[in-house]
CSV table of all heavy atoms in Angstrom, one decimal:
chain,number,residue,atom,x,y,z
A,1,LYS,N,98.3,134.0,175.5
A,1,LYS,CA,97.5,133.0,176.1
A,1,LYS,C,96.2,133.5,176.6
A,1,LYS,O,95.1,133.0,176.4
A,1,LYS,CB,98.3,132.3,177.2
A,1,LYS,CG,97.7,131.0,177.7
A,1,LYS,CD,98.7,130.4,178.7
A,1,LYS,CE,98.2,129.1,179.3
A,1,LYS,NZ,99.2,128.5,180.3
A,2,ALA,N,96.3,134.6,177.3
A,2,ALA,CA,95.1,135.3,177.9
A,2,ALA,C,94.1,135.8,176.8
A,2,ALA,O,92.9,135.6,176.9
A,2,ALA,CB,95.4,136.4,178.8
A,3,ALA,N,94.7,136.3,175.7
A,3,ALA,CA,93.9,136.9,174.6
A,3,ALA,C,93.2,135.7,173.9
A,3,ALA,O,92.1,135.9,173.5
A,3,ALA,CB,94.8,137.6,173.7
A,4,SER,N,93.9,134.6,173.8
A,4,SER,CA,93.3,133.4,173.1
A,4,SER,C,92.1,132.9,173.9
A,4,SER,O,91.0,132.6,173.3
A,4,SER,CB,94.3,132.3,173.0
A,4,SER,OG,95.4,132.8,172.1
A,5,ALA,N,92.2,132.8,175.2
A,5,ALA,CA,91.1,132.4,176.0
A,5,ALA,C,89.9,133.3,175.9
A,5,ALA,O,88.8,132.9,175.9
A,5,ALA,CB,91.6,132.2,177.5
A,6,ALA,N,90.2,134.6,175.9
A,6,ALA,CA,89.2,135.6,175.8
A,6,ALA,C,88.4,135.7,174.5
A,6,ALA,O,87.3,136.2,174.5
A,6,ALA,CB,89.8,137.0,176.1
A,7,THR,N,88.9,135.0,173.5
A,7,THR,CA,88.2,135.1,172.2
A,7,THR,C,87.0,134.2,172.2
A,7,THR,O,86.1,134.3,171.4
A,7,THR,CB,89.1,134.6,171.1
A,7,THR,OG1,89.5,133.2,171.3
A,7,THR,CG2,90.3,135.5,170.9
A,8,ALA,N,86.9,133.2,173.1
A,8,ALA,CA,85.8,132.2,173.2
A,8,ALA,C,84.6,132.8,174.0
A,8,ALA,O,84.8,133.2,175.1
A,8,ALA,CB,86.2,130.9,173.8
A,9,PRO,N,83.4,132.8,173.4
A,9,PRO,CA,82.3,133.2,174.2
A,9,PRO,C,82.1,132.4,175.5
A,9,PRO,O,81.6,132.9,176.5
A,9,PRO,CB,81.1,132.9,173.3
A,9,PRO,CG,81.7,133.1,171.9
A,9,PRO,CD,83.1,132.6,172.0
A,10,LEU,N,82.6,131.2,175.5
A,10,LEU,CA,82.6,130.4,176.8
A,10,LEU,C,83.7,130.8,177.7
A,10,LEU,O,83.8,130.3,178.9
A,10,LEU,CB,82.7,128.9,176.5
A,10,LEU,CG,81.5,128.3,175.8
A,10,LEU,CD1,81.7,126.8,175.6
A,10,LEU,CD2,80.2,128.6,176.5
A,11,ASN,N,84.6,131.7,177.3
A,11,ASN,CA,85.5,132.4,178.2
A,11,ASN,C,86.6,131.5,178.8
A,11,ASN,O,87.0,131.7,179.9
A,11,ASN,CB,84.8,133.2,179.3
A,11,ASN,CG,85.7,134.3,179.8
A,11,ASN,OD1,86.5,134.9,179.1
A,11,ASN,ND2,85.6,134.5,181.1
A,12,ARG,N,87.0,130.5,178.0
A,12,ARG,CA,88.1,129.7,178.4
A,12,ARG,C,88.7,129.0,177.2
A,12,ARG,O,88.1,129.0,176.1
A,12,ARG,CB,87.7,128.6,179.4
A,12,ARG,CG,86.7,127.5,178.9
A,12,ARG,CD,86.5,126.4,179.9
A,12,ARG,NE,85.6,125.4,179.5
A,12,ARG,CZ,85.9,124.3,178.8
A,12,ARG,NH1,87.2,124.1,178.4
A,12,ARG,NH2,85.0,123.4,178.4
A,13,MET,N,89.9,128.5,177.4
A,13,MET,CA,90.4,127.6,176.4
A,13,MET,C,89.9,126.2,176.6
A,13,MET,O,89.5,125.8,177.8
A,13,MET,CB,92.0,127.6,176.4
A,13,MET,CG,92.5,128.8,175.6
A,13,MET,SD,94.3,128.7,175.3
A,13,MET,CE,94.9,129.2,176.9
A,14,GLY,N,89.9,125.4,175.6
A,14,GLY,CA,89.5,124.0,175.7
A,14,GLY,C,90.5,123.1,176.3
A,14,GLY,O,91.7,123.5,176.4
A,15,THR,N,90.1,121.9,176.6
A,15,THR,CA,91.1,120.9,177.1
A,15,THR,C,91.1,119.7,176.1
A,15,THR,O,90.2,119.5,175.3
A,15,THR,CB,90.6,120.3,178.4
A,15,THR,OG1,89.3,119.6,178.3
A,15,THR,CG2,90.4,121.5,179.4
A,16,PRO,N,92.1,118.8,176.2
A,16,PRO,CA,92.1,117.6,175.3
A,16,PRO,C,90.9,116.8,175.5
A,16,PRO,O,90.4,116.2,174.6
A,16,PRO,CB,93.4,116.9,175.8
A,16,PRO,CG,94.3,118.0,176.2
A,16,PRO,CD,93.4,119.0,176.9
A,17,GLU,N,90.3,116.8,176.7
A,17,GLU,CA,89.1,116.0,177.0
A,17,GLU,C,87.9,116.5,176.2
A,17,GLU,O,87.0,115.8,175.9
A,17,GLU,CB,88.8,116.0,178.5
A,17,GLU,CG,89.8,115.2,179.3
A,17,GLU,CD,91.2,115.9,179.5
A,17,GLU,OE1,91.3,117.1,179.4
A,17,GLU,OE2,92.2,115.2,179.7
A,18,ASP,N,87.8,117.9,176.0
A,18,ASP,CA,86.8,118.4,175.2
A,18,ASP,C,86.8,117.9,173.8
A,18,ASP,O,85.7,117.6,173.2
A,18,ASP,CB,86.9,120.0,175.2
A,18,ASP,CG,86.6,120.6,176.5
A,18,ASP,OD1,85.7,120.2,177.2
A,18,ASP,OD2,87.3,121.6,176.8
A,19,ILE,N,88.0,117.7,173.3
A,19,ILE,CA,88.1,117.2,171.9
A,19,ILE,C,87.8,115.7,171.9
A,19,ILE,O,87.2,115.1,171.0
A,19,ILE,CB,89.5,117.5,171.3
A,19,ILE,CG1,89.8,119.0,171.4
A,19,ILE,CG2,89.6,117.0,169.9
A,19,ILE,CD1,88.7,119.9,170.8
A,20,ALA,N,88.3,115.0,172.9
A,20,ALA,CA,88.2,113.6,173.0
A,20,ALA,C,86.7,113.1,173.0
A,20,ALA,O,86.3,112.1,172.3
A,20,ALA,CB,88.8,113.0,174.2
A,21,GLY,N,85.9,113.9,173.6
A,21,GLY,CA,84.4,113.6,173.6
A,21,GLY,C,83.8,113.7,172.2
A,21,GLY,O,83.0,112.8,171.8
A,22,ALA,N,84.2,114.7,171.4
A,22,ALA,CA,83.7,114.8,170.1
A,22,ALA,C,84.3,113.7,169.2
A,22,ALA,O,83.5,113.1,168.4
A,22,ALA,CB,84.2,116.1,169.5
A,23,VAL,N,85.5,113.3,169.4
A,23,VAL,CA,86.1,112.2,168.6
A,23,VAL,C,85.3,110.9,168.9
A,23,VAL,O,85.0,110.1,168.0
A,23,VAL,CB,87.6,112.0,168.9
A,23,VAL,CG1,88.1,110.7,168.2
A,23,VAL,CG2,88.4,113.2,168.4
A,24,ALA,N,85.1,110.6,170.2
A,24,ALA,CA,84.4,109.4,170.6
A,24,ALA,C,83.0,109.3,170.0
A,24,ALA,O,82.5,108.3,169.6
A,24,ALA,CB,84.3,109.3,172.1
A,25,PHE,N,82.3,110.5,169.9
A,25,PHE,CA,81.0,110.5,169.2
A,25,PHE,C,81.1,110.1,167.8
A,25,PHE,O,80.4,109.2,167.3
A,25,PHE,CB,80.4,111.9,169.3
A,25,PHE,CG,79.3,112.1,168.3
A,25,PHE,CD1,78.0,111.5,168.5
A,25,PHE,CD2,79.4,112.9,167.2
A,25,PHE,CE1,77.0,111.6,167.6
A,25,PHE,CE2,78.4,113.1,166.3
A,25,PHE,CZ,77.2,112.4,166.5
A,26,PHE,N,82.1,110.7,167.0
A,26,PHE,CA,82.2,110.3,165.6
A,26,PHE,C,82.6,108.8,165.5
A,26,PHE,O,82.3,108.2,164.5
A,26,PHE,CB,83.3,111.2,165.0
A,26,PHE,CG,82.8,112.5,164.5
A,26,PHE,CD1,83.6,113.6,164.6
A,26,PHE,CD2,81.6,112.6,163.9
A,26,PHE,CE1,83.2,114.9,164.1
A,26,PHE,CE2,81.2,113.9,163.4
A,26,PHE,CZ,82.0,115.0,163.5
A,27,ALA,N,83.4,108.3,166.4
A,27,ALA,CA,83.9,106.9,166.3
A,27,ALA,C,82.8,105.9,166.7
A,27,ALA,O,82.9,104.7,166.3
A,27,ALA,CB,85.1,106.7,167.3
A,28,SER,N,81.7,106.3,167.3
A,28,SER,CA,80.7,105.4,167.8
A,28,SER,C,79.6,105.3,166.8
A,28,SER,O,79.4,106.1,165.9
A,28,SER,CB,80.1,106.0,169.1
A,28,SER,OG,79.3,107.0,168.9
A,29,GLU,N,78.7,104.3,167.1
A,29,GLU,CA,77.5,104.1,166.2
A,29,GLU,C,76.5,105.1,166.4
A,29,GLU,O,75.5,105.2,165.6
A,29,GLU,CB,77.0,102.7,166.4
A,29,GLU,CG,77.9,101.6,165.9
A,29,GLU,CD,77.3,100.2,165.9
A,29,GLU,OE1,76.1,100.1,166.2
A,29,GLU,OE2,78.1,99.2,165.7
A,30,ASP,N,76.6,106.0,167.4
A,30,ASP,CA,75.8,107.1,167.5
A,30,ASP,C,75.9,108.1,166.3
A,30,ASP,O,74.9,108.8,166.0
A,30,ASP,CB,76.1,108.0,168.8
A,30,ASP,CG,75.7,107.3,170.1
A,30,ASP,OD1,74.9,106.3,170.0
A,30,ASP,OD2,76.2,107.6,171.1
A,31,ALA,N,77.0,108.0,165.6
A,31,ALA,CA,77.2,108.8,164.4
A,31,ALA,C,77.2,107.9,163.2
A,31,ALA,O,77.9,108.3,162.2
A,31,ALA,CB,78.6,109.5,164.5
A,32,SER,N,76.4,106.9,163.2
A,32,SER,CA,76.5,105.9,162.1
A,32,SER,C,76.0,106.5,160.7
A,32,SER,O,76.3,106.0,159.7
A,32,SER,CB,75.6,104.7,162.4
A,32,SER,OG,74.3,105.0,162.6
A,33,PHE,N,75.2,107.6,160.8
A,33,PHE,CA,74.8,108.3,159.6
A,33,PHE,C,75.5,109.6,159.3
A,33,PHE,O,75.0,110.5,158.6
A,33,PHE,CB,73.3,108.5,159.6
A,33,PHE,CG,72.6,108.8,158.3
A,33,PHE,CD1,72.8,107.9,157.2
A,33,PHE,CD2,71.8,109.9,158.1
A,33,PHE,CE1,72.2,108.2,156.0
A,33,PHE,CE2,71.3,110.2,156.9
A,33,PHE,CZ,71.4,109.3,155.8
């Protein structure tokens, strides 16, 4: 677990909320093209 977190330059593991924000962008008209 610690090694996985250390692989990211942002120095942490992500959260489900991090992914949810990206999904919401794709789902919205902000990504219409």
Side-chain angles (χ1 to χ4, degrees):
K1 190 173 180 179
S4 297
T7 61
L10 293 184
N11 201 36
R12 68 172 176 89
M13 278 192 281
T15 67
E17 290 72 25
D18 291 321
I19 305 307
V23 174
F25 164 70
F26 275 144
S28 76
E29 292 189 9
D30 288 343
S32 62
F33 197 55

